[in-house]
Amino acid sequence: MTRPPAALRDFYENPAVPVASGAARSRRQARLLAAALGPVRGGAPAATILDIGCGDGSAAAIAAELLAGHRLIGVDWSQDALRRARTRIPCAVRGELTGGGLPFAAGSADAVLFSEVIEHLVDPDAALDELRRVLRPGGHLMLSTPNLAAWYNRGLLLAGVQPVFSEVSMRRIHGRPGTQVVGHLRLYTARALRGFLRASGFEVVRIAGAPYHDVPRPLRPLDRAACRVPSLASILLAHARRAGE
């Protein structure tokens, strides 16, 4: 979304790089937004929702089921991702997260879905500035990102193991569980994410937790239980609103 260096552009345009997250996270995030927006009632205009960093559109398709009547637009930088997204959602357009690169007027969006994007960005500050620009005052930001302080990462660090979600190379995994490189550049704890959002001009309504779809099956009940304490959860779900002028 923020225009990356050439090596990163090639990485994200590679069809083998995953551009979708777990369905459980997508549903939780959509439910939070649906509760915030409320249903479309007779005579009331539909909300405009931007799924920025929509990837292959699978998360947007799940969200659309819970946001019936609202207008959902997918946005991504990758042309390959957009081709796939257009098979799942009615509208997907190209945009970037720097210097007014989103093709929308200031204050034109009622809500933004920003799902597992921020951890990939070179300049997350500029990205939040651009999201704030396109949101109306009071508009909703639903952001999700992996939790650096997830319950298992705390144990891994104590054992001297590289935390899950973190990467030291764009070519292969070193020193942590897993085999797939996904290009994470930034990682947040719940405390850091809350502070970053506030400093970027957003009022934090809630931070919730969601499970991670790649947790080994025997550990999934524990991962779901950890969602009750968001600071321990695998995935952080932040609901924030654009602060007024």
Side-chain angles (χ1 to χ4, degrees):
M1 296 300 298
T2 302
R3 180 177 289 275
L8 281 177
R9 290 202 300 270
D10 292 342
F11 178 83
Y12 289 121
E13 286 286 3
N14 182 351
V17 174
V19 290
S21 300
R25 189 275 302 153
S26 298
R27 290 191 184 93
R28 286 187 183 218
Q29 192 173 45
R31 280 197 292 267
L32 288 173
L33 181 55
L37 292 174
V40 178
R41 293 185 171 87
T48 296
I49 304 166
L50 309 179
D51 184 3
I52 297 179
C54 66
D56 66 3
S58 57
I62 291 171
E65 298 172 4
L66 299 167
L67 296 164
H70 296 297
R71 183 184 182 216
L72 183 61
I73 303 171
V75 186
D76 207 283
W77 178 87
S78 166
Q79 294 287 12
D80 179 75
L82 288 171
R83 281 191 291 271
R84 287 182 275 170
R86 288 170 184 141
T87 68
R88 294 183 170 95
I89 54 178
C91 182
V93 300
R94 192 175 187 277
E96 297 182 12
L97 279 168
T98 53
L102 292 177
F104 305 100
S108 60
D110 298 289
V112 164
L113 290 169
F114 202 48
S115 306
E116 270 92 312
V117 175
I118 199 167
E119 64 271 14
H120 297 273
L121 300 181
V122 174
D123 190 351
D125 301 274
L128 267 288
D129 288 345
E130 182 65 356
L131 297 187
R132 190 174 186 277
R133 181 187 72 81
V134 300
L135 277 169
R136 62 169 172 79
H140 302 276
L141 171 63
M142 313 301 294
L143 182 154
S144 64
T145 191
N147 183 10
L148 176 61
W151 61 275
Y152 40 79
N153 278 346
R154 299 182 186 215
L156 291 173
L157 277 170
L158 285 173
V161 178
Q162 186 80 10
V164 175
F165 308 125
S166 66
E167 295 174 340
V168 300
S169 169
M170 297 294 288
R171 296 178 179 175
R172 57 186 63 87
I173 294 299
H174 299 281
R176 73 155 171 83
T179 59
Q180 192 168 50
V181 177
V182 293
H184 290 174
L185 305 178
R186 310 276 180 179
L187 288 175
Y188 299 80
T189 64
R191 180 181 296 182
L193 182 60
R194 188 183 297 272
F196 179 53
L197 287 169
R198 286 174 174 163
S200 300
F202 291 90
E203 298 172 355
V204 178
V205 177
R206 178 187 180 191
I207 292 184
Y212 178 45
H213 63 282
D214 266 354
V215 167
R217 188 174 297 275
L219 297 177
R220 289 178 186 175
L222 184 56
D223 193 44
R224 289 192 294 270
C227 294
R228 299 170 189 166
V229 183
S231 62
L232 295 176
S234 286
I235 306 295
L236 300 172
L237 302 180
H239 174 198
R241 303 191 73 171
R242 180 191 157 178
E245 299 297 335

